[in-house]
């Protein structure tokens, strides 16, 4: 990491995760996003990342990638690129006192109440009525939905992280897994 090239930036991101300066998955997500951006926009590498205007660079990435990535992914990649360059430059200025900027990765909100599956017959049973789907933006920039499904009296199943753009094939796969669980319990 002698210089300011795109290769140096990617090496720095790996270093961040390996040394525990940021969460390993955060470092890997940043590195993956930056790698995809650099490979498409500047396949021969960049000599000096200080010359990158992240907004202009991402506009080029969006134009070159076409519909390969969703607008949400473009936004997340822009954020990862910007944070990565900021951290890299601060590290280069003062490696001994470097601290990564706090992660601004989106966090999945926790439900305010736990869903408790009960028979619905006891005096201490807790029954929560479904409130409808909750839309969530995950760190991978894939929009997901948390979806309550009333199964029977007093039993609500909560499906978390269901992609909003779920395909029929993916839905069938999930249904088969759930169906297999029911068959195992009946035997």
């Amino acid at each position: 990491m002698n210089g300011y090239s795109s290769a140096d930036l990617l090496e720095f991101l790996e270093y961040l995760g390996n040394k525990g300066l940021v969460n390993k998955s955060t470092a890997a997500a940043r590195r993956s996003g930056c790698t995809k951006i650099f490979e498409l926009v500047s396949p021969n590498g960049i000599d000096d990342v200080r010359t990158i205007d992240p907004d202009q660079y991402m506009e080029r990435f969006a134009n070159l990638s076409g519909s390969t990535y969703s607008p949400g992914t473009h936004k997340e990649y822009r954020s990862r690129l910007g944070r990565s360059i900021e951290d890299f430059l601060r590290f280069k200025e003062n490696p001994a006192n470097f601290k990564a900027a706090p992660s601004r990765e989106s966090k999945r909100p926790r439900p305010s109440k736990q869903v408790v599956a009960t028979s619905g017959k006891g005096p201490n049973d807790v029954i929560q009525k479904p409130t409808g789907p909750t839309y969530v933006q995950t760190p991978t920039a894939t929009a997901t939905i948390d979806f309550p499904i009333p199964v029977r009296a007093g039993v609500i199943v909560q499906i978390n992280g269901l992609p909003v753009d779920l395909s029929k094939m993916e839905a069938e796969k999930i249904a088969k897994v759930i169906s297999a669980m029911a068959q195992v319990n009946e035997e």
Side-chain angles (χ1 to χ4, degrees):
M1 280 190 298
N2 299 352
Y4 290 89
S5 71
S6 54
D8 291 323
L9 173 62
L10 296 175
E11 186 179 329
F12 165 74
L13 293 171
E14 189 169 332
Y15 171 83
L16 282 182
N18 290 339
K19 295 297 182 183
L21 296 172
V22 298
N23 180 296
K24 224 173 171 110
S25 62
T26 298
R30 286 188 187 183
R31 190 173 195 283
S32 173
C34 289
T35 298
K36 289 176 184 176
I37 295 165
F38 293 148
E39 285 175 351
L40 189 61
V41 179
S42 303
N44 295 326
I46 299 166
D47 293 332
D48 192 340
V49 296
R50 295 175 292 187
T51 63
I52 294 175
D53 175 338
D55 291 324
Q56 288 179 343
Y57 207 74
M58 285 307 298
E59 186 175 333
R60 289 176 55 206
F61 177 76
N63 291 337
L64 291 169
S65 65
S67 63
T68 304
Y69 300 99
S70 71
T73 301
H74 286 160
K75 183 178 178 182
E76 188 61 35
Y77 279 10
R78 163 46 183 106
S79 178
R80 289 177 186 173
L81 176 66
R83 284 190 312 249
S84 297
I85 291 172
E86 288 170 16
D87 279 350
F88 180 56
L89 297 179
R90 283 189 301 101
F91 176 81
K92 295 294 269 182
E93 282 178 21
N94 190 353
N97 293 320
F98 172 77
K99 278 192 165 189
S103 177
R104 293 184 294 249
E105 300 275 335
S106 54
K107 304 255 187 231
R108 175 176 289 186
R110 298 232 179 247
S112 58
K113 293 181 182 176
Q114 288 288 357
V115 175
V116 179
T118 67
S119 66
K121 297 178 182 173
N124 296 324
D125 284 349
V126 176
I127 299 174
Q128 178 183 350
K129 296 195 185 276
T131 58
T134 305
Y135 293 90
V136 180
Q137 192 72 21
T138 63
T140 60
T142 299
T144 62
I145 185 172
D146 294 344
F147 199 83
I149 303 172
V151 178
R152 60 179 174 262
V155 179
I156 299 171
V157 174
Q158 182 78 24
I159 297 180
N160 297 315
L162 197 62
V164 173
D165 61 349
L166 183 71
S167 71
K168 183 149 179 75
M169 187 171 69
E170 292 168 330
E172 289 170 356
K173 182 177 183 179
I174 293 167
K176 286 178 184 176
V177 170
I178 293 171
S179 181
M181 291 178 68
Q183 292 169 3
V184 168
N185 290 332
E186 289 176 3
E187 293 175 356

